[in-house]
Amino acid sequence: MVERLPSIPVYKLLTALYTGVMACLCSWAIFLAPEGRGANMTVLAPIWALVSSFLNIHDNYDQSCRSVVGAFIGLFFTELIAIIITAGNTVEYCDWIGVAVAFPICFLMALGDAATGSKLSKVFRSDVAMEAMYIPIAFPNGRPFLHGALTAAAFMVGSAESFIATSILNAFNLLPRKDIPALPAFAKRAADYYETLTAYWTSGMEHADFIDRQRKVFEESWRAASREAPTPELRSVIYRMASGLIALRDTMNDGRYSEDMLEHIWHPLMPDIVDMRLEVVYWLRTTAKPIRDDKEIEQTDLMNLATELSSRLSQASITYSEKVVEGESSLSPANDIVRFQFAMSLIAKFAILSDEFYNLVRRQQKEEAHSLKWYNWGGRFCRYMKECKEYWIHWWHLPFWAYGNMTLRQRLVHPLRLSLTITLFAFPLVAWAHKEKVVETFGFWALVPLLFCFLGTPGASLVKGTRRIIGTILAACLGMICIEANYNSVPAFIVEMFVIVSIGKLGALYSNIDYAGTVFAF
C-alpha cells in the first residue's frame, strides 16, 4: 500500500503548464492554410513550441535561438537545391536528385551535432537544419519552394513565440527559479554546516555519518558559488571559508578530546561559542536574502565576537595550565592541545570570513538591485548584450573541435553514418511516395526518428528509439480516442492539446521518461 503519493515539483509543473499554453498559442499555424493544405508542415510549429519552451531563460534561449538558426540554414539549402535542380531539369523538380544532392550537405550539417564535439553545436541545431531541408526535398508534393518555406517557418514560429513569451516574463521578473542562486545557496549551506560542526566538533567520530552528509551538500554549494563569484576577492573568501570548515571537520578524525580539557577549557567557552554560532548563522542566512538598493548595509558584530573568543581562549588555556601545575588537573596529550587550539582558531576565523563575505555580497547586491528591477529594461538589456559579447568572443577563440576527447576519425564517423542512413532510407520512401499520395503527404514522419534518434552510440540510439516507440504508441491510442470523442471540434482540440502537451512535457522533465514524454506530446 502506498502511504504517500509522490509529489510533483512546482517548477516542473509550471514548466509543463507553460509549455501547454505555448503549444496552444502556436496552434493557429495549423489552421492558417485553407482546407488544411500545408497543415502537415505547419503542425511543426506547436510541436517545436513544446520542445523549446522552458521557464529557465538560458535553456529557452539556447533551444529557441539554435532552432531558428537551424531552420534558416535548412531553408537556405532547400531553396538552393530546388533552384539548381529546377534550373537544370527543364520539366520540373526531381525529388530523386534532391535527395542525392542533399547527402553531402547533410554531412556538413551533421558536423554541428553535439556528438562530434564541434563548437558549431552551440550555434545551431543540426537536427532542425536537416529536418527543415529533408522534408521539402524528399516530399515536395510538387512544390518544394513552398513546402521548404512552410517547414522552416513552422520551426521559427514555434521557437520565436516561446522566445518572445519567455522574454516578456523575464522582463517583468515573473519567471520562477528552478533553484536557489549559487551565492545565496552557499550562504545557507555554510550556515548549516558551521552550525553542525560547532555543535559536534568535540564528539569525535560519533556523529560522522550525519556530519558527512551535510559536508557533501556543502562541498557542492561552495564549488558552485566559487564559479559564480563575480570578483576574485569574493571567490577568495569563499575558498577560505570552505577550507576552514573542511579543516574543522578533519580535526574530528582523531576522536574525542580529554575530559580535563573539555572541563577546564571548552565548558567555560561554551557561552561564547554558542553566541558566535548564532551570530554567524544569522548573518549568513541574512546574506541569502536580497537587499533593496535604498537600504543601508547592516553591520555585524562578528569581528568583535571572534576577538573576544580568542581572548577568552587564551585566558582559559592559562587557567588550565595553572591547574595542571598545581596538580588540580592532569595534563592532556599534546596532540589534543594542538588540535583543540587549531579547531578554536578555525571557529573564530570563520566568523571573520563570514563578516567579510557578508559585506562583499551585500555591496554587490546593492549595486545590482536597481539594474535588476523590472522597469530597468535598458540596463538589463545592456548587461545581457555584454554577457553575449563575452560569450561569443570566447566561442570564437575556441578550436573547431572544442568538446570531447576524440580523434578526428571518431568525430567524422557519426556525421557520415547519419547522412548515409538518412539518404539510403529516404530513397525507398520517395519511391513509395510516388505510388501512395498519403505517403507523399505524411511520409516525412518516417525520417524524423532517424534525425532525432540516431545518436553517437548504439546504446543511446536504442534507448531513445525505444522511448520514441513507447511515446508514439501511447499518443496514437490517445489521439484516436480524442478524434472519436470530439471530431472536427476546434475548441475541444485546443483543450486536448493543452492537457496532452502539459502531461507530455511534465514527463519529459523526468530523466527516466525523458524523450518518451516529448514524443507523447507530439
Side-chain angles (χ1 to χ4, degrees):
M1 180 178 178
V2 179
E3 296 181 358
R4 183 179 178 183
L5 292 174
S7 60
I8 300 174
V10 175
Y11 183 82
K12 290 184 178 180
L13 181 60
L14 290 175
T15 301
L17 296 175
Y18 174 68
T19 303
V21 172
M22 288 296 99
C24 292
L25 289 177
C26 285
S27 63
W28 60 267
I30 301 174
F31 308 105
L32 185 64
E35 300 178 3
R37 289 195 297 270
N40 58 323
M41 308 292 179
T42 57
V43 72
L44 290 168
I47 287 177
W48 215 250
L50 154 71
V51 173
S52 60
S53 292
F54 291 93
L55 286 174
N56 179 285
I57 194 75
H58 175 269
D59 293 341
N60 185 281
Y61 280 16
D62 177 65
Q63 291 290 337
S64 300
C65 294
R66 290 195 302 123
S67 296
V68 169
V69 176
F72 266 116
I73 293 173
L75 175 62
F76 172 78
F77 282 107
T78 297
E79 304 301 319
L80 180 63
I81 292 172
I83 289 172
I84 293 173
I85 294 175
T86 304
N89 189 353
T90 56
V91 181
E92 59 182 2
Y93 171 80
C94 178
D95 45 15
W96 295 99
I97 300 175
V99 172
V101 173
F103 167 71
I105 298 174
C106 179
F107 174 78
L108 294 176
M109 289 180 177
L111 292 177
D113 193 286
T116 66
S118 165
K119 69 177 184 179
L120 293 179
S121 62
K122 301 297 183 182
V123 180
F124 72 100
R125 284 195 59 148
S126 60
D127 48 6
V128 172
M130 288 185 283
E131 190 169 351
M133 179 183 69
Y134 260 105
I135 290 175
I137 288 295
F139 305 95
N141 271 307
R143 295 177 292 181
F145 298 102
L146 175 61
H147 281 201
L150 285 176
T151 304
F155 281 115
M156 294 177 194
V157 167
S159 301
E161 286 206 4
S162 172
F163 178 92
I164 293 169
T166 307
S167 298
I168 293 172
L169 291 176
N170 184 60
F172 289 94
N173 288 339
L174 296 176
L175 285 179
R177 298 197 70 97
K178 183 178 181 180
D179 45 30
I180 303 174
L183 289 177
F186 167 74
K188 288 186 175 183
R189 301 303 184 194
D192 293 342
Y193 195 40
Y194 180 79
E195 185 176 29
T196 300
L197 286 176
T198 52
Y200 294 110
W201 68 283
T202 58
S203 64
M205 300 298 288
E206 186 176 344
H207 305 283
D209 291 340
F210 168 69
I211 293 172
D212 287 342
R213 283 197 298 270
Q214 282 203 348
R215 176 177 180 168
K216 182 179 180 181
V217 176
F218 169 72
E219 288 187 348
E220 291 175 357
S221 68
W222 81 256
R223 288 191 176 94
S226 65
R227 290 191 297 268
E228 296 294 327
T231 62
E233 186 180 8
L234 181 56
R235 189 176 301 112
S236 172
V237 172
I238 292 171
Y239 279 132
R240 285 182 285 159
M241 291 174 71
S243 63
L245 291 185
I246 292 171
L248 181 58
R249 164 62 184 87
D250 289 343
T251 62
M252 301 170 64
N253 292 336
D254 290 339
R256 298 173 62 90
Y257 295 92
S258 64
E259 293 298 328
D260 289 320
M261 179 174 291
L262 294 177
E263 179 182 353
H264 296 292
I265 301 181
W266 183 62
H267 286 168
L269 295 177
M270 272 297 295
D272 300 273
I273 295 174
V274 171
D275 286 344
M276 177 172 290
R277 178 198 307 158
L278 293 174
E279 287 291 314
V280 169
V281 169
Y282 169 78
W283 288 111
L284 283 177
R285 289 177 178 167
T286 301
T287 309
K289 301 175 183 178
I291 186 174
R292 289 163 36 189
D293 58 342
D294 58 347
K295 187 177 180 181
E296 293 297 325
I297 299 176
E298 298 180 74
Q299 296 301 313
T300 76
D301 197 34
L302 295 177
M303 299 285 285
N304 293 332
L305 289 174
T307 303
E308 290 176 9
L309 180 63
S310 299
S311 177
R312 291 290 306 277
L313 174 62
S314 299
Q315 294 174 6
S317 299
I318 293 172
T319 302
Y320 173 60
S321 300
E322 292 173 349
K323 290 183 180 294
V324 171
V325 172
E326 294 171 358
E328 298 179 11
S329 176
S330 60
L331 180 63
S332 298
N335 179 58
D336 278 8
I337 296 174
V338 173
R339 188 160 56 100
F340 187 90
Q341 295 284 344
F342 178 61
M344 289 297 296
S345 68
L346 291 173
I347 292 173
K349 181 65 175 177
F350 188 84
I352 297 172
L353 291 172
S354 297
D355 177 80
E356 191 175 350
F357 175 80
Y358 168 81
N359 284 290
L360 287 172
V361 173
R362 277 301 193 225
R363 285 199 293 269
Q364 177 204 345
Q365 289 173 340
K366 278 185 68 69
E367 291 172 0
E368 295 180 349
H370 179 72
S371 63
L372 293 177
K373 290 185 180 295
W374 68 267
Y375 53 77
N376 186 29
W377 292 330
R380 294 172 67 182
F381 179 75
C382 291
R383 179 182 175 184
Y384 173 73
M385 294 305 296
K386 180 182 177 182
E387 292 175 355
C388 285
K389 179 183 176 182
E390 293 173 353
Y391 174 84
W392 288 114
I393 289 175
H394 171 71
W395 177 88
W396 180 259
H397 288 94
L398 288 174
F400 185 80
W401 306 111
Y403 310 104
N405 185 20
M406 296 178 283
T407 63
L408 181 61
R409 179 180 176 276
Q410 290 172 325
R411 295 181 189 277
L412 297 179
V413 163
H414 175 67
L416 182 61
R417 288 168 53 205
L418 177 59
S419 52
L420 273 173
T421 304
I422 293 174
T423 304
L424 294 176
F425 188 66
F427 278 121
L429 282 178
V430 170
W432 192 9
H434 285 179
K435 296 182 179 180
E436 297 287 344
K437 184 64 178 177
V438 68
V439 179
E440 175 79 8
T441 304
F442 300 105
F444 70 86
W445 287 106
L447 280 178
V448 171
L450 280 177
L451 293 168
F452 289 101
C453 299
F454 197 94
L455 304 179
T457 61
S461 300
L462 287 172
V463 170
K464 195 169 185 180
T466 303
R467 287 175 173 171
R468 185 177 182 94
I469 292 171
I470 295 171
T472 302
I473 293 173
L474 293 176
C477 295
L478 187 58
M480 287 186 287
I481 294 172
C482 292
I483 292 172
E484 183 66 26
N486 300 292
Y487 179 72
N488 211 24
S489 173
V490 174
F493 169 78
I494 298 298
V495 173
E496 291 162 355
M497 174 184 285
F498 172 76
V499 173
I500 294 171
V501 168
S502 298
I503 294 173
K505 184 70 171 188
L506 182 62
L509 296 175
Y510 289 88
S511 58
N512 55 343
I513 300 176
D514 195 28
Y515 189 58
T518 303
V519 175
F520 173 79
F522 277 6

PDB file of all heavy atoms in Angstrom, residues 103-115:
ATOM      1  N   PHE A 103      22.792  14.720 -49.735  1.00  0.00           N
ATOM      2  CA  PHE A 103      23.685  13.874 -48.932  1.00  0.00           C
ATOM      3  C   PHE A 103      24.925  14.616 -48.425  1.00  0.00           C
ATOM      4  O   PHE A 103      25.195  14.626 -47.217  1.00  0.00           O
ATOM      5  CB  PHE A 103      24.089  12.630 -49.731  1.00  0.00           C
ATOM      6  CG  PHE A 103      25.228  11.874 -49.131  1.00  0.00           C
ATOM      7  CD1 PHE A 103      25.065  11.157 -47.954  1.00  0.00           C
ATOM      8  CD2 PHE A 103      26.489  11.900 -49.718  1.00  0.00           C
ATOM      9  CE1 PHE A 103      26.123  10.466 -47.386  1.00  0.00           C
ATOM     10  CE2 PHE A 103      27.550  11.222 -49.156  1.00  0.00           C
ATOM     11  CZ  PHE A 103      27.371  10.497 -47.986  1.00  0.00           C
ATOM     12  N   PRO A 104      25.729  15.251 -49.295  1.00  0.00           N
ATOM     13  CA  PRO A 104      26.918  15.939 -48.763  1.00  0.00           C
ATOM     14  C   PRO A 104      26.560  17.118 -47.860  1.00  0.00           C
ATOM     15  O   PRO A 104      27.288  17.413 -46.903  1.00  0.00           O
ATOM     16  CB  PRO A 104      27.650  16.411 -50.027  1.00  0.00           C
ATOM     17  CG  PRO A 104      26.611  16.448 -51.089  1.00  0.00           C
ATOM     18  CD  PRO A 104      25.654  15.355 -50.765  1.00  0.00           C
ATOM     19  N   ILE A 105      25.448  17.779 -48.165  1.00  0.00           N
ATOM     20  CA  ILE A 105      25.038  18.906 -47.318  1.00  0.00           C
ATOM     21  C   ILE A 105      24.613  18.398 -45.944  1.00  0.00           C
ATOM     22  O   ILE A 105      24.901  19.019 -44.915  1.00  0.00           O
ATOM     23  CB  ILE A 105      23.899  19.690 -47.991  1.00  0.00           C
ATOM     24  CG1 ILE A 105      24.392  20.262 -49.318  1.00  0.00           C
ATOM     25  CG2 ILE A 105      23.391  20.803 -47.081  1.00  0.00           C
ATOM     26  CD1 ILE A 105      23.321  20.929 -50.139  1.00  0.00           C
ATOM     27  N   CYS A 106      23.943  17.252 -45.930  1.00  0.00           N
ATOM     28  CA  CYS A 106      23.555  16.638 -44.656  1.00  0.00           C
ATOM     29  C   CYS A 106      24.792  16.297 -43.831  1.00  0.00           C
ATOM     30  O   CYS A 106      24.804  16.486 -42.613  1.00  0.00           O
ATOM     31  CB  CYS A 106      22.724  15.389 -44.927  1.00  0.00           C
ATOM     32  SG  CYS A 106      22.198  14.515 -43.439  1.00  0.00           S
ATOM     33  N   PHE A 107      25.831  15.816 -44.498  1.00  0.00           N
ATOM     34  CA  PHE A 107      27.075  15.503 -43.792  1.00  0.00           C
ATOM     35  C   PHE A 107      27.665  16.759 -43.152  1.00  0.00           C
ATOM     36  O   PHE A 107      28.090  16.742 -41.990  1.00  0.00           O
ATOM     37  CB  PHE A 107      28.082  14.886 -44.765  1.00  0.00           C
ATOM     38  CG  PHE A 107      29.444  14.663 -44.168  1.00  0.00           C
ATOM     39  CD1 PHE A 107      29.682  13.586 -43.334  1.00  0.00           C
ATOM     40  CD2 PHE A 107      30.481  15.550 -44.432  1.00  0.00           C
ATOM     41  CE1 PHE A 107      30.936  13.386 -42.768  1.00  0.00           C
ATOM     42  CE2 PHE A 107      31.734  15.359 -43.877  1.00  0.00           C
ATOM     43  CZ  PHE A 107      31.966  14.273 -43.042  1.00  0.00           C
ATOM     44  N   LEU A 108      27.668  17.860 -43.901  1.00  0.00           N
ATOM     45  CA  LEU A 108      28.201  19.112 -43.358  1.00  0.00           C
ATOM     46  C   LEU A 108      27.360  19.613 -42.190  1.00  0.00           C
ATOM     47  O   LEU A 108      27.891  20.113 -41.193  1.00  0.00           O
ATOM     48  CB  LEU A 108      28.263  20.172 -44.464  1.00  0.00           C
ATOM     49  CG  LEU A 108      29.242  19.894 -45.611  1.00  0.00           C
ATOM     50  CD1 LEU A 108      29.125  20.972 -46.683  1.00  0.00           C
ATOM     51  CD2 LEU A 108      30.675  19.812 -45.091  1.00  0.00           C
ATOM     52  N   MET A 109      26.042  19.487 -42.309  1.00  0.00           N
ATOM     53  CA  MET A 109      25.173  19.902 -41.203  1.00  0.00           C
ATOM     54  C   MET A 109      25.417  19.053 -39.962  1.00  0.00           C
ATOM     55  O   MET A 109      25.408  19.555 -38.835  1.00  0.00           O
ATOM     56  CB  MET A 109      23.706  19.786 -41.619  1.00  0.00           C
ATOM     57  CG  MET A 109      23.246  20.818 -42.624  1.00  0.00           C
ATOM     58  SD  MET A 109      21.503  20.558 -43.031  1.00  0.00           S
ATOM     59  CE  MET A 109      21.200  21.944 -44.128  1.00  0.00           C
ATOM     60  N   ALA A 110      25.630  17.760 -40.176  1.00  0.00           N
ATOM     61  CA  ALA A 110      25.829  16.847 -39.048  1.00  0.00           C
ATOM     62  C   ALA A 110      27.120  17.133 -38.294  1.00  0.00           C
ATOM     63  O   ALA A 110      27.283  16.693 -37.150  1.00  0.00           O
ATOM     64  CB  ALA A 110      25.816  15.401 -39.533  1.00  0.00           C
ATOM     65  N   LEU A 111      28.035  17.877 -38.909  1.00  0.00           N
ATOM     66  CA  LEU A 111      29.244  18.271 -38.187  1.00  0.00           C
ATOM     67  C   LEU A 111      28.912  19.175 -37.006  1.00  0.00           C
ATOM     68  O   LEU A 111      29.705  19.313 -36.078  1.00  0.00           O
ATOM     69  CB  LEU A 111      30.215  18.996 -39.133  1.00  0.00           C
ATOM     70  CG  LEU A 111      30.850  18.155 -40.242  1.00  0.00           C
ATOM     71  CD1 LEU A 111      31.724  19.033 -41.124  1.00  0.00           C
ATOM     72  CD2 LEU A 111      31.661  17.005 -39.658  1.00  0.00           C
ATOM     73  N   GLY A 112      27.743  19.804 -37.063  1.00  0.00           N
ATOM     74  CA  GLY A 112      27.307  20.643 -35.953  1.00  0.00           C
ATOM     75  C   GLY A 112      26.583  19.886 -34.867  1.00  0.00           C
ATOM     76  O   GLY A 112      26.084  20.501 -33.915  1.00  0.00           O
ATOM     77  N   ASP A 113      26.510  18.568 -34.973  1.00  0.00           N
ATOM     78  CA  ASP A 113      25.872  17.763 -33.935  1.00  0.00           C
ATOM     79  C   ASP A 113      26.742  17.749 -32.678  1.00  0.00           C
ATOM     80  O   ASP A 113      27.973  17.721 -32.762  1.00  0.00           O
ATOM     81  CB  ASP A 113      25.654  16.336 -34.444  1.00  0.00           C
ATOM     82  CG  ASP A 113      24.721  15.544 -33.547  1.00  0.00           C
ATOM     83  OD1 ASP A 113      25.158  15.142 -32.453  1.00  0.00           O
ATOM     84  OD2 ASP A 113      23.564  15.337 -33.935  1.00  0.00           O
ATOM     85  N   ALA A 114      26.094  17.744 -31.531  1.00  0.00           N
ATOM     86  CA  ALA A 114      26.846  17.758 -30.267  1.00  0.00           C
ATOM     87  C   ALA A 114      27.722  16.525 -30.114  1.00  0.00           C
ATOM     88  O   ALA A 114      28.750  16.569 -29.426  1.00  0.00           O
ATOM     89  CB  ALA A 114      25.872  17.856 -29.098  1.00  0.00           C
ATOM     90  N   ALA A 115      27.350  15.413 -30.762  1.00  0.00           N
ATOM     91  CA  ALA A 115      28.127  14.177 -30.640  1.00  0.00           C
ATOM     92  C   ALA A 115      29.512  14.305 -31.253  1.00  0.00           C
ATOM     93  O   ALA A 115      30.420  13.547 -30.904  1.00  0.00           O
ATOM     94  CB  ALA A 115      27.372  13.022 -31.298  1.00  0.00           C
TER      95      ALA A 115
END
